[in-house]
Amino acid sequence: MASNRFAFFNGEFIPIEQAQVSVMTAALNYGLGVFEGIRAYWNADDDQLYVFHLREHMERLKRSSAIMFMDLPYSVDELCRLTVELLRREGFREDAYIRPLVFKSDHTIAVRLNGMTDAFALYAVPFGQYIPGTAVRACVSSWRRIEDNIMPSRAKVSGGYVNSALAKTEALLNGYDEAIVLGGDGQVSEASAANLYIVRNGALITPPITSDILEGITRRVVAQLAQAELHVPVVERPIDRTELYVAEEAFFCGTGAEVKPIIEIDRRPVGNGAVGPITARLVELYSAVVHGRLPAYRDWCTPVYTNEGV
Ligand code: PMP
């Protein structure tokens, strides 16, 4: 596996080992950053690297920045162009993960967002599975999801991932693969770094965007694919904890997680304990789409190695 060599930092492409910050950086001390997680998929048949939903991720980065009073001095178009330029420089011929990060770079003891300096960094690394295995066992976390009036849950804020890390660590140390986190209202919110769907009576159900979830791009992709390709209805509504125990199928979805079947929740098998039929079809469909193999969805994929502009 190749390693990464560059970062775009402080307005220029530089060797990754030179992209450094001080221990005094406000973002490091207080979690004052916003970021994105984007995947690029290698398609050997096309000899092409495709970035999935690049524009949508950069649009969310803009929204996260706005919520957090961060000044991102690049347009969505420019951010997309910089990403393609970075990946071309890296020359990856394998799957990769792209991380744009906007952060408060001041070296002052100041816990605030206004009147501070913002920095932007962008790097990419070769990347495989985020959650190992083809199907996973989950638990309901004892940690609650950050509520929108505590910290913006729909923005991808660095400090918010303390919550994710606590939930994930508890799950792993207790022998599970992933955590399902309930919201402040006690209803299902999402996983540590992925959204969640269950299947009941043949319909896909996912918590609404008012359930303190991150407004996941994969969550939306799944809804589109399920309706258009599988003719499965999709319902957004609150989900009770014990609905998890009687669901016919369940899966996580996210850029990192991709579509990840859940076969057990709190030691109860989901359905008959094997990957369900709708989930299995979504896993396949999602993989085909992100690799640019389905012409109908090819415009969701940005090719890196082309002379065309982006
Ligand atoms: N929730 C959280 C907390 C996440 O970190 C992620 C990953 N970005 C998701 C949901 C899924 O979002 P997306 O599909 O846009 O990657």
Side-chain angles (χ1 to χ4, degrees):
M1 211 184 236
S3 64
N4 56 318
R5 296 176 293 157
F6 303 104
F8 181 80
F9 187 42
N10 291 335
E12 56 181 341
F13 287 97
I14 56 174
I16 188 70
E17 59 275 9
Q18 289 175 21
Q20 307 277 351
V21 297
S22 162
V23 291
M24 291 178 69
T25 304
L28 178 62
N29 286 259
Y30 309 119
L32 304 179
V34 299
F35 66 98
E36 270 303 319
I38 310 167
R39 269 191 191 263
Y41 288 89
W42 177 245
N43 181 324
D45 296 331
D46 293 1
D47 211 29
Q48 187 58 267
L49 187 64
Y50 291 114
V51 189
F52 190 58
H53 269 324
L54 176 56
R55 170 163 284 275
E56 286 69 13
H57 280 281
M58 292 311 186
E59 285 169 350
R60 189 170 62 191
L61 185 67
K62 281 284 198 186
R63 292 197 298 273
S64 295
S65 301
I67 290 175
M68 294 297 286
F69 291 108
M70 290 187 184
D71 181 28
L72 180 51
Y74 304 105
S75 66
V76 168
D77 283 340
E78 286 168 331
L79 291 166
C80 294
R81 273 199 295 276
L82 286 170
T83 303
V84 168
E85 168 72 18
L86 172 72
L87 291 169
R88 282 182 189 160
R89 284 176 186 243
E90 293 287 8
F92 292 141
R93 295 172 65 82
E94 62 193 308
D95 297 348
Y97 187 85
I98 302 134
R99 166 59 49 79
L101 173 68
V102 192
F103 62 96
K104 297 291 175 191
S105 60
D106 303 67
H107 296 177
T108 50
I109 308 294
V111 186
R112 61 164 199 260
L113 299 171
N114 63 309
M116 307 264 290
T117 312
D118 300 303
F120 175 70
L122 176 72
Y123 62 90
V125 290
F127 201 63
Q129 278 196 325
Y130 173 66
I131 304 177
T134 52
V136 299
R137 298 168 54 250
C139 62
V140 172
S141 181
S142 71
W143 295 95
R144 292 288 174 96
R145 168 79 179 154
I146 46 170
E147 289 178 63
D148 205 38
N149 282 308
I150 293 176
M151 185 183 298
S153 31
R154 80 193 64 254
K156 239 175 130 57
V157 179
S158 302
Y161 283 78
V162 170
N163 181 241
S164 302
L166 288 166
K168 179 82 173 192
T169 302
E170 179 191 56
L172 292 174
L173 294 182
N174 286 338
Y176 299 95
D177 303 303
E178 184 53 71
I180 298 171
V181 187
L182 307 180
D185 58 2
Q187 291 186 302
V188 174
S189 182
E190 59 174 340
S192 67
N195 294 113
L196 172 126
Y197 276 92
I198 60 172
V199 176
R200 295 202 67 190
N201 300 318
L204 278 174
I205 306 171
T206 194
I209 57 170
T210 47
S211 282
D212 297 322
I213 64 169
L214 183 81
E215 296 178 10
I217 290 161
T218 320
R219 172 181 175 276
R220 217 166 58 221
V221 164
V222 163
Q224 286 169 295
L225 294 177
Q227 289 170 113
E229 303 296 324
L230 307 183
H231 310 292
V232 169
V234 177
V235 182
E236 290 188 30
R237 65 154 177 82
I239 297 177
D240 279 345
R241 175 180 187 153
T242 57
E243 288 194 273
L244 299 170
Y245 303 156
V246 296
E248 292 138 38
E249 304 183 30
F251 60 89
F252 296 120
C253 66
T255 299
E258 303 175 293
V259 177
K260 186 64 73 171
I262 310 170
I263 50 170
E264 190 188 298
I265 300 175
D266 285 347
R267 300 190 186 277
R268 295 156 177 90
V270 176
N272 63 8
V275 178
I278 295 174
T279 307
R281 286 160 77 195
L282 283 169
V283 169
E284 266 185 37
L285 203 48
Y286 185 75
S287 173
V289 167
V290 296
H291 284 91
R293 291 201 194 102
L294 289 193
Y297 302 100
R298 181 52 186 68
D299 60 345
W300 290 357
C301 307
T302 303
V304 168
Y305 302 120
T306 158
N307 294 324
E308 294 161 36
V310 286

